């Protein structure tokens, strides 16, 4: 791929949001789009990633690792189906363990994609343009990983359809008053709407690839996926209305999904779960972890595929700000939890909190505080927000921290319940770890395929962005 | 003006004018509308504000479809919940009401969103006449730039004012590049 030479003198000062920070190299821009881009240059550069760029060795290497991990996941799943969930460390009183931790973690990660594409669209945040496609794909793959865990956890996954209302010879209905059944509806709706939203965004870009590719097979496949898109004024008019409405629908949906996940816990009577603030707390955590994951993935992607003109420091800085803001909400949440326990006057509630902080899993609580509360504080500094390596490390730490948070909520709350005689430590088995690491492999396998086969940045929206920036000039 | 051989008129789909600037196509659309043309459409690489209005296209009815989709999804879900909990399988749990509507809200909400999203997606495709894998315009080599950096205005042969010579002349005054589109 030949990179377009950008005329440096065209760096319009109005595109700069501020002076370049000390940490930024001279080629980095603070605007939402690098200088000197035209409709043709953005189209060619993004479509070249898919169409003409050779599959790099790094891609093959990364894909091979991810694919191997995915195979490990399948192997573990086959073994699970053969032997039952006894292969996991899940034992009473810890009846929900790693699979549920992973489920909540993955679905939380997924939420950033919807928020970036839907909420920021409704708020007219033009910087979302370069990252929304990738973030939506991340949502889709994270929700795919998330959805597998409750299925695997069922023990008899082949009768998963019992969760759905359908006319059956047993003459039974699911218990519609249970948050677990709400969750089935919420996750399935979320997955479906995410696919529709993502595919709708892809249609005009599929047409772009159809018209750019010289490969007959590519023309057919992209042509089929483009559905005959011609970009007529009538098409665009309906398309924009539909896209906006979908964004409007996805916004409350994303809030509802993680609220319902929060209710899975809140509706029980277990100390540590039974709190009214679970739903909003879970939603804030979801945004926090999701933005961290987008940052983790975007930083390597932009340097590997030379996308610094499209995913600029401005994007990274904005994401860092969201991480900082939601991280502060998490801090508030942790503080509120401690206060609730103290103020409730309930001995079980108090014991749960003391056990969380000072009990045998106390290390996880302090690690959580270090990851989710202390680490993001570094982002108060503008210099640090614009320092790419620092941001990458912070985002990784936040990912770990959010996993730990779910670990604490699910496992540490369960392992010492009301009856001391039933207390037991929880230890994951090799299969627990294989399923968790394998699901990361599945996620990255899908992500690698996506990066190779589909445009990672919404091309038509970039063209719109070029048009808008041109008009400002 | 329709004295020209009708067979010749039938042999093309329309005339396609090519523009390099976004403003030019909006301008051309205004002029074509003012000249009385109605059976025409413009093709752009990204949505252009005001273009659809310039061509005299009506605002889409899609929002109504989405509203209906949401209402159908939500009411079907609520009816199902009610039917299951009150009629088909009433379960007395400590004398609590069978019609426990607050517990029905989450699923009703989810199905409302699902119904509306299906209506938005498939409604958009249906109103746009998609999928429609082939189209006469795709045969014009330059048209592949409609997804890159060119803007097009196509006046179709089925427009009552269409006359191959006059329309061509009209378009050529706006842009040097005018293509004939074979059907």
């Amino acid at each position: 791929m030949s990179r377009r030479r950008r005329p440096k003198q065209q760096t319009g000062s109005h595109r700069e949001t501020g002076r370049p920070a000390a940490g930024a190299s001279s080629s980095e821009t603070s605007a939402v789009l690098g200088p000197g881009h035209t409709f043709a240059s953005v189209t060619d550069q993004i479509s070249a990633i898919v169409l003409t760029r050779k599959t790099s060795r790094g891609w093959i290497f990364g894909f091979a690792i991810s694919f191997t991990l995915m195979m490990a996941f399948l192997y573990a799943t086959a073994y699970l189906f053969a032997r039952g969930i006894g292969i996991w460390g899940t034992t009473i009183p810890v009846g929900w363990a790693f699979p549920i931790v992973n489920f909540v973690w993955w679905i939380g990660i997924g939420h950033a994609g919807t928020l970036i594409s839907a909420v920021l669209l409704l708020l007219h945040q033009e910087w979302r343009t370069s990252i929304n496609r990738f973030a939506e794909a991340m949502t889709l793959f994270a929700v795919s990983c998330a959805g597998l865990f409750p299925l695997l956890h069922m023990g008899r996954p082949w009768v998963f359809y019992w969760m759905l209302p359908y006319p059956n010879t047993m003459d039974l209905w699911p218990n519609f008053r249970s948050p677990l059944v709400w969750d089935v509806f919420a996750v399935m709706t979320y997955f479906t709407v995410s696919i529709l939203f993502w595919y709708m965004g892809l249609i005009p870009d599929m047409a772009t690839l159809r018209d750019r590719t010289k490969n007959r097979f590519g023309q057919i496949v992209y042509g089929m996926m483009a559905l005959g898109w011609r970009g007529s004024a009538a098409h665009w008019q309906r398309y924009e209305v539909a896209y906006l409405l979908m964004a409007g629908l996805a916004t409350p949906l994303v809030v509802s999904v993680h609220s319902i996940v929060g209710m899975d816990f809140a509706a029980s009577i277990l100390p540590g779960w039974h709190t009214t603030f679970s739903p909003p707390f879970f939603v804030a955590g979801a945004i926090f972890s999701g933005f961290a994951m987008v940052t983790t993935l975007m930083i390597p992607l932009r340097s590997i595929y030379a996308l610094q003109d499209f995913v600029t420091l401005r994007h990274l800085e904005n994401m860092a700000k969201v991480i900082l803001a939601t991280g502060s909400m998490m801090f508030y949440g942790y503080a509120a939890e401690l206060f609730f326990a103290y103020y409730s006057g309930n001995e079980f509630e108090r014991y749960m909190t003391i056990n969380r902080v000072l009990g045998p899993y106390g290390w996880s609580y302090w690690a959580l505080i270090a990851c989710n509360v202390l680490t993001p504080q570094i982002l108060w500094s503008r210099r640090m927000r614009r320092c790419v390596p620092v941001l990458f490390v912070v985002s990784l730490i936040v990912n770990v921290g959010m996993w730990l948070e779910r670990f604490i909520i699910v496992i540490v709350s369960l392992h010492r319940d009301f009856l001391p005689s039933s207390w037991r430590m929880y230890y994951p088995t090799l299969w627990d770890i294989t399923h968790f690491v394998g699901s990361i492999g599945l996620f990255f396998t899908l992500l690698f395929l996506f990066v190779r086969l589909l445009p990672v940045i919404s091309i038509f929206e970039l063209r719109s962005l070029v048009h808008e920036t041109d008009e400002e000039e | 003006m329709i004295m020209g051989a009708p067979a010749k008129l039938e042999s093309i789909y329309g005339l396609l004018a090519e523009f390099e600037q976004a403003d030019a196509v909006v301008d051309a659309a205004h002029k074509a509308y003012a000249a009385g043309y109605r059976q025409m459409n413009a093709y752009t690489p990204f949505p252009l504000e005001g273009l659809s209005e310039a061509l005299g296209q009506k605002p889409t009815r899609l929002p109504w479809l989405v509203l209906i989709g949401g209402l159908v999804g939500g009411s079907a879900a609520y009816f199902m919940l009610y039917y299951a909990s009150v009629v088909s399988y009433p379960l007395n749990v400590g004398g609590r009401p069978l019609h426990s509507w607050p517990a029905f809200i989450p699923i009703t909400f989810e199905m409302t969103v699902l119904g509306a999203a299906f209506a938005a997606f498939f409604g958009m495709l249906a109103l746009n006449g998609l999928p429609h894998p082939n189209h006469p315009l795709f045969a014009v080599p330059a048209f592949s730039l409609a997804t890159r950096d060119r803007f097009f205005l196509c006046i179709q042969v089925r427009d009552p004012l269409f006359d191959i010579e006059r329309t061509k002349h009209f378009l050529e005054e706006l842009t040097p590049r005018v293509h004939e589109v074979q059907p």
Side-chain angles (χ1 to χ4, degrees), chain A residues 103-178:
Chain A
F103 163 68
V104 182
W105 188 67
W106 275 123
I107 206 149
I109 286 170
H111 282 23
T114 317
L115 282 159
I116 286 171
S117 58
V119 180
L120 298 183
L121 177 77
L122 298 178
L123 297 176
H124 296 288
Q125 296 293 308
E126 60 178 12
W127 61 276
R128 80 180 255 291
T129 300
S130 320
I131 51 173
N132 70 329
R133 164 75 44 74
F134 186 79
E136 282 167 35
M138 186 193 79
T139 294
L140 217 51
F141 306 149
V143 175
S144 309
C145 292
L148 284 173
F149 280 104
L151 288 179
L152 296 180
H153 200 272
M154 279 192 302
R156 281 185 284 168
W158 47 93
V159 291
F160 73 94
Y161 58 86
W162 285 8
M163 296 187 298
L164 303 171
Y166 72 104
N168 56 69
T169 51
M170 300 172 284
D171 210 15
L172 286 172
W173 289 91
N175 178 9
F176 290 124
R177 296 184 184 94
S178 161

Side-chain angles (χ1 to χ4, degrees), chain A residues 44 172-173 176-177 182 189 200 211-212 227-228 230-238 240 242 253 256 260 463, chain B residues 41-45 57-59 62 81 84 88-89 98 100 103 109-110 127-128 130-132 135 144 147-148:
Chain A
D44 294 345
L172 286 172
W173 289 91
F176 290 124
R177 296 184 184 94
W182 304 347
T189 302
M200 185 141 88
D211 295 342
R212 295 286 86 70
L227 307 173
R230 299 186 294 282
S232 79
H235 279 183
W236 281 123
Q237 186 211 18
R238 297 190 187 103
E240 282 205 296
L253 178 65
S256 83
I260 290 175
R463 287 191 293 248
Chain B
N41 216 333
Y43 303 87
T44 56
Q57 291 168 353
K58 290 195 199 91
L62 190 62
L81 297 167
S88 171
Y89 202 81
L98 292 174
S100 51
F109 172 78
E110 300 299 335
L127 292 176
N128 276 344
L130 301 175
H132 185 157
H135 192 274
S144 70
T147 56
R148 188 167 178 258

